[in-house]
């Protein structure tokens, strides 16, 4: 295998040269000749047009495929946003209007970002020493067996659907009231947004919006609490939902260009802060702090618009994209964002044990509801084994299921995948050590459990991500917390649950739940093949 450490300097140099050409392929896009604000507005407006297309075509029902399309666009956006911030001039006036060449440039840039994914994955894994790459002419060949790893990545993708992807609801009466406030003139539309309207939309959105949050609202970071963050984000979602609905109404009334010029809210930053302060009833300080953290590039080295959806267009004006605000997972993204900010990371880490405690209590309650006994805590005299996060016990069956709990942020890039993999690996090692000690008759372990189990099984329960093939092919299973709870609630015998886990019956089946396609990506003269996982389901994946 052509791993980086085994390659000659000439082979490495050739691949590095190819990587450089691919990384700079965006440089001839016409948007790079525009001011940064104008180029970013063109890109965000094009993305809004993509979302309008699904409405026009009647594809508005949420599904696995719909969610995958949303995620694909969200993930792809980080590349062109970075390219524009790297290559565009900060000088020059911001211009907001449809221009065919710039519109095509935005289209081409987003398409390039999607093809760039086919190269960025292999190169990142190669640079980390995780994957072999070799050149065959202008073809970059990744030495990987796609079918050998697919079911684990498919699980991570499929199990996630349903938690954050429901679209913002709207009542017919509220929609009619929004429509009545829309005014159209040529290529532009306006809507008179008043506090009462925002209040009504916030109330309409709030039930579904709050389902996206699971952490205690009392949690406090350095400048605001989670409750204050939720209120600010809710107000922003309400504003974007109004703008999205207003554009639909404008398009129906014949607004030229289907209202593209106002698809994205462009507003002075000071006005936005003032309005959100008024809508939330909060003081200006936490509103300013939340919006500051949610501003693209603030306190970040490698910013991501999914994490920071408020985009500065100029010193005074900012862009608010309905797609970014309405499609993102706010709590999950906040956790990811805070974990990247050095000043916040220490606070976030201290709260980590509380998160695992929340998961522990949920599982404990579900186990007791089914009539099982639970045990947790320190094993006296066995500091080498650490604490048992939770053991679920069936005294009738003489069975014990030993849990190691992990709650971390799902990885978004290769560096994070490797870090999270190591965290799961630690959990597997801990489970193995404790199960071995119990099987070998450790008196302290058996004293804590209250009996000597005839059957014992270990499992790592992870909130957001179960790892890849290197983790799942080890001795102990790793399963998502939501899936674990659903199965626990459905069983009568603990032994059946343990057999289900040991047999990895929670994993999706190729050909039934998902398919794998190898897709060729081409940038310039370079081509490569990388794999794509496609859902074969329209409903949430939760096999029991």
């Amino acid at each position: 295998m052509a791993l980086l450490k085994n390659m000659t300097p000439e082979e490495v140099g050739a691949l590095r040269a190819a990587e450089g050409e691919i990384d700079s392929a965006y440089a001839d896009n016409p948007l790079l000749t525009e001011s940064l604000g104008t180029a970013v507005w063109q890109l965000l407006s094009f993305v809004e047009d993509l979302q309008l297309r699904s409405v026009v075509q009647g594809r508005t029902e949420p599904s696995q495929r719909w969610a995958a399309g949303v995620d694909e666009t969200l993930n792809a956006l980080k590349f062109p946003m970075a390219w524009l911030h790297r290559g565009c001039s900060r000088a020059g006036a911001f211009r907001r209007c449809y221009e065919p060449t710039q519109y095509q440039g935005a289209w081409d840039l987003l398409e390039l970002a999607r093809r760039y994914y086919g190269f960025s994955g292999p190169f990142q894994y190669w640079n980390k020493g995780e994957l072999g790459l070799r050149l065959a002419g202008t073809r970059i060949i990744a030495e990987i067996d796609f079918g050998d790893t697919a079911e684990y990545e498919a699980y991570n993708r499929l199990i996630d659907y349903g938690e954050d992807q429901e679209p913002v609801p709207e009542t017919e009466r509220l929609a009619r009231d929004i429509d009545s406030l829309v005014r159209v003139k040529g290529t532009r539309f306006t809507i008179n947004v008043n506090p009462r309207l925002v209040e009504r939309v916030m109330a309409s959105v709030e039930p579904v919006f709050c389902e996206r949050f699971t952490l205690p609202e009392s949690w406090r970071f350095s400048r605001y609490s989670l409750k204050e963050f939720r209120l600010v984000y809710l107000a922003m979602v309400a504003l974007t939902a109004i703008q999205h609905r207003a554009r639909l109404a404008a398009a129906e009334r014949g607004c030229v260009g289907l209202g593209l010029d106002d698809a994205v809210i462009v507003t002075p930053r000071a006005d936005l802060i003032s309005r959100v302060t008024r809508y939330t009833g909060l003081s200006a300080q936490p509103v300013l702090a939340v919006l500051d953290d949610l501003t693209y590039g603030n306190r970040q080295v490698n910013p991501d618009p999914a994490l920071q959806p408020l985009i500065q267009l100029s010193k005074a004006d900012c862009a608010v994209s309905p797609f970014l605000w309405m499609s993102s997972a706010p709590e999950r993204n906040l956790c990811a964002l805070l974990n990247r900010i050095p000043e916040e990371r220490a606070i976030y880490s201290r709260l980590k044990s509380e998160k695992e405690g929340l998961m522990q209590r949920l599982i404990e309650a579900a186990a007791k509801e089914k009539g099982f006994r639970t045990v947790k805590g320190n094993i006296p005299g066995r500091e080498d084994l650490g604490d048992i996060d939770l053991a679920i016990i069936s005294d009738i069956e003489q069975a014990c299921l030993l849990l190691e709990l992990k709650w971390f942020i799902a990885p978004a890039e290769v560096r994070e995948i490797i870090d999270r993999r190591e965290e799961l690996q630690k959990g597997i090692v801990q489970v193995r050590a404790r199960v071995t000690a119990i099987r070998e008759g450790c008196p302290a372990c058996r004293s804590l459990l209250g009996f000597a189990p005839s059957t014992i099984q270990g499992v790592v329960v992870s909130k957001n991500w179960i790892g890849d093939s290197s983790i799942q092919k080890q001795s102990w299973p790793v399963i998502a917390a939501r899936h674990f709870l659903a199965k626990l609630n459905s069983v009568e015998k603990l032994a059946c649950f343990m057999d289900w886990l040991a047999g990895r019956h929670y994993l999706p089946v190729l050909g039934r739940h998902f398919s794998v396609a190898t897709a060729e990506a081409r940038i310039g003269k370079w081509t490569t093949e990388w794999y794509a996982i496609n859902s074969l389901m329209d409903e949430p994946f939760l096999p029991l």
Side-chain angles (χ1 to χ4, degrees), residues 127-159:
N127 281 312
K128 291 287 186 180
E130 295 264 321
L131 175 72
L133 283 186
R134 58 187 173 87
L135 281 179
T138 58
R139 191 164 193 80
I140 300 167
I141 299 172
E143 297 178 333
I144 182 174
D145 182 354
F146 296 120
D148 191 46
T149 61
E151 61 184 329
Y152 314 108
E153 185 172 343
Y155 181 93
N156 287 318
R157 292 190 186 185
L158 296 176
I159 200 71

Side-chain angles (χ1 to χ4, degrees), residues 359-361 363-364 367 374-377 387-392 401-405:
M359 184 161 58
Q360 182 187 67
R361 289 191 289 275
I363 296 174
E364 194 171 15
T374 62
V375 171
K376 59 189 176 186
D387 293 350
I388 290 179
D389 286 346
L390 193 65
I392 300 176
L401 179 58
L402 202 64
L403 279 62
E404 178 71 17
L405 306 180

Side-chain angles (χ1 to χ4, degrees), residues 60 87 96 200 216 234 260 297 316 332 334 372 388 404 439 463 475 481:
T60 56
R96 170 172 53 177
R200 290 175 60 200
L234 176 60
L260 176 71
R332 183 172 57 190
L334 174 66
F372 301 133
I388 290 179
E404 178 71 17
R439 285 175 175 171
K463 171 62 178 176
S475 54

Side-chain angles (χ1 to χ4, degrees), residues 416-432:
E416 293 176 347
I417 287 173
I418 294 172
D419 289 345
R420 306 299 189 270
R421 185 196 295 160
E422 290 176 357
E423 185 74 15
L424 290 176
Q425 172 65 33
K426 290 177 184 176
I428 291 171
V429 169
Q430 289 168 323
V431 165
R432 182 189 302 125

Side-chain angles (χ1 to χ4, degrees), residues 296-364:
Y296 181 84
N298 280 4
R299 307 171 86 191
Q300 290 289 291
V301 177
N302 298 305
D304 183 340
L307 305 186
Q308 294 181 303
L310 184 59
I311 315 297
Q312 204 73 31
L313 298 176
S314 65
K315 288 183 178 180
D317 292 329
C318 56
V320 180
S321 160
F323 170 74
L324 283 178
W325 287 89
M326 295 167 66
S327 303
S328 295
E331 183 176 83
R332 183 172 57 190
N333 288 347
L334 174 66
C335 290
L337 177 64
L338 294 176
N339 201 44
R340 293 182 177 190
I341 301 173
E343 304 94 305
E344 305 289 351
R345 190 180 300 128
I347 299 174
Y348 181 81
S349 296
R350 288 199 297 271
L351 295 170
K352 183 178 178 181
S353 60
E354 291 189 34
K355 294 193 298 180
E356 292 175 355
L358 290 172
M359 184 161 58
Q360 182 187 67
R361 289 191 289 275
L362 282 172
I363 296 174
E364 194 171 15

Side-chain angles (χ1 to χ4, degrees), residues 261-323:
D261 286 358
D262 292 296
V264 173
I265 301 172
V266 177
T267 179
R269 184 181 182 87
D271 288 356
L272 180 66
I273 293 169
S274 176
R275 292 171 66 189
V276 173
T277 300
R278 182 165 67 252
Y279 301 148
T280 59
L282 298 171
S283 64
Q285 186 277 326
V287 172
L288 181 61
V290 170
L291 292 180
D292 182 61
D293 277 354
L294 292 177
T295 297
Y296 181 84
N298 280 4
R299 307 171 86 191
Q300 290 289 291
V301 177
N302 298 305
D304 183 340
L307 305 186
Q308 294 181 303
L310 184 59
I311 315 297
Q312 204 73 31
L313 298 176
S314 65
K315 288 183 178 180
D317 292 329
C318 56
V320 180
S321 160
F323 170 74

Side-chain angles (χ1 to χ4, degrees), residues 31 81 101 110 169 184 235 238 253 259 312 321 370 397 439 538:
L31 286 184
M81 283 291 290
T101 301
L110 190 62
V184 175
R253 295 182 197 173
Q312 204 73 31
S321 160
K370 301 300 293 187
E397 301 171 74
R439 285 175 175 171
D538 282 331

